[in-house]
Amino acid sequence: MRLSKRLALVASFVNEGSSLADIGTDHGYIPIALTRQGKVTRAIAMDVRKGPLERAREHIREYHLEERIETRLSDGAERLKAGEADTVVIAGMGGELVIHILEGGRHLWDEVGQWVLSPQSELDKVRTYLQENGFVITREDMVEEDGKYYTVMDVSRGVMEEMSQAERLYGAYLIRHKNPVLREFLKRERDQLLKIREQLNAQSTDSARARLAELTRELDWNREAQDEMQ
């Protein structure tokens, strides 16, 4: 099985020898790949929808991994018990849903040693939530695939340093380590923001002026992140 660049990056974050729970497993590709590699000792593939979970079961049977990968219908981490997994993957969904799943998994916070998160939107909200609830991001990385950018976070319990808004948006770790994919993303985002500003400058409505004010702040945060990466 060959994982996409995005899923391969997520899988690369999982600690060697861990027991894994993949929440929102969809096709079950991550637990299958990691089990076949011998990187995880056992895995639970979880999803809130019956259709994706059945597809995961089919793929698990295809690779004869029924004895090593359990499938479980669950709303987020609701049906995951303490001690069943020391690494939890939450990937492929929006930031608000990632936060919702973390909230629903409070009973696991001090039991799970590693959370691998890959929110596809609202990363600033996720980073803020983590900081406010006693988590620390120990590592981040980014990948570009088919014109889209994906971020993966390695998260555990701990104290996180205060972040600027630019760091909340783009990731203090990525900025500090001058991540080349983030550098590319920032340049592309800046070009897009400048084009939108040019279009809005031709308008004189209240909504256009309000959006221009927002754009100015967004451009400032983008510039701040790029300057820190010099």
Side-chain angles (χ1 to χ4, degrees):
M1 172 180 291
R2 181 171 182 174
L3 296 177
S4 66
K5 288 170 65 176
R6 175 180 70 87
L7 291 182
L9 183 60
V10 172
S12 74
F13 270 61
V14 173
N15 288 335
E16 191 84 31
S18 60
S19 53
L20 172 72
D22 182 26
I23 297 177
T25 194
D26 198 16
H27 290 75
Y29 291 153
I30 287 178
I32 290 169
L34 290 174
T35 302
R36 292 183 74 212
Q37 292 168 15
K39 192 173 184 181
V40 300
T41 57
R42 59 192 175 92
I44 305 172
M46 308 176 72
D47 208 289
V48 69
R49 298 169 298 169
K50 293 181 179 179
L53 201 61
E54 183 53 41
R55 287 197 295 272
R57 289 192 188 104
E58 291 172 2
H59 292 136
I60 291 165
R61 287 193 293 267
E62 180 183 343
Y63 289 97
H64 309 291
L65 295 172
E66 299 95 323
E67 299 299 317
R68 299 180 63 191
I69 304 175
E70 177 188 344
T71 57
R72 189 178 297 176
L73 191 68
S74 176
D75 184 359
E78 187 178 277
R79 295 192 58 211
L80 184 64
K81 300 174 185 177
E84 287 190 304
D86 45 41
T87 294
V88 173
V89 169
I90 309 174
M93 60 198 74
E96 289 283 5
L97 185 50
V98 169
I99 291 171
H100 173 75
I101 291 171
L102 285 169
E103 268 295 308
R106 278 181 174 268
H107 61 291
L108 303 167
W109 283 9
D110 295 320
E111 302 292 332
V112 172
Q114 180 192 35
W115 301 81
V116 179
L117 310 180
S118 184
Q120 295 190 345
S121 63
E122 301 168 306
L123 276 75
D124 57 327
K125 291 184 179 180
V126 173
R127 292 186 181 105
T128 299
Y129 176 87
L130 293 171
Q131 181 179 50
E132 291 177 348
N133 287 277
F135 291 94
V136 61
I137 301 170
T138 58
R139 182 166 63 107
E140 287 193 54
D141 203 352
M142 284 185 77
V143 66
E144 182 274 330
E145 185 172 38
D146 299 329
K148 296 181 179 180
Y149 293 85
Y150 303 95
T151 300
V152 182
M153 307 173 184
D154 193 340
V155 175
S156 58
R157 297 295 273 166
V159 179
M160 198 187 311
E161 294 181 5
E162 188 60 41
M163 294 175 284
S164 67
Q165 182 58 22
E167 289 171 335
R168 292 176 192 274
L169 284 166
Y170 305 115
Y173 185 97
L174 295 171
I175 293 170
R176 187 164 58 248
H177 289 82
K178 306 183 190 302
N179 185 277
V181 181
L182 175 61
R183 193 188 301 276
E184 176 187 308
F185 171 80
L186 287 168
K187 290 178 180 177
R188 184 177 295 189
E189 182 187 66
R190 180 170 176 77
D191 289 343
Q192 291 172 342
L193 291 173
L194 289 172
K195 286 180 181 178
I196 296 171
R197 186 176 71 175
E198 185 178 345
Q199 294 167 356
L200 289 171
N201 278 329
Q203 303 175 30
S204 57
T205 63
D206 289 342
S207 60
R209 283 190 288 270
R211 180 65 183 122
L212 275 169
E214 292 176 0
L215 273 174
T216 298
R217 290 192 294 271
E218 291 169 17
L219 283 163
D220 286 344
W221 294 324
N222 181 290
R223 185 183 304 108
E224 179 184 335
Q226 291 201 60
D227 288 346
E228 287 186 42
M229 295 179 71
Q230 298 303 319

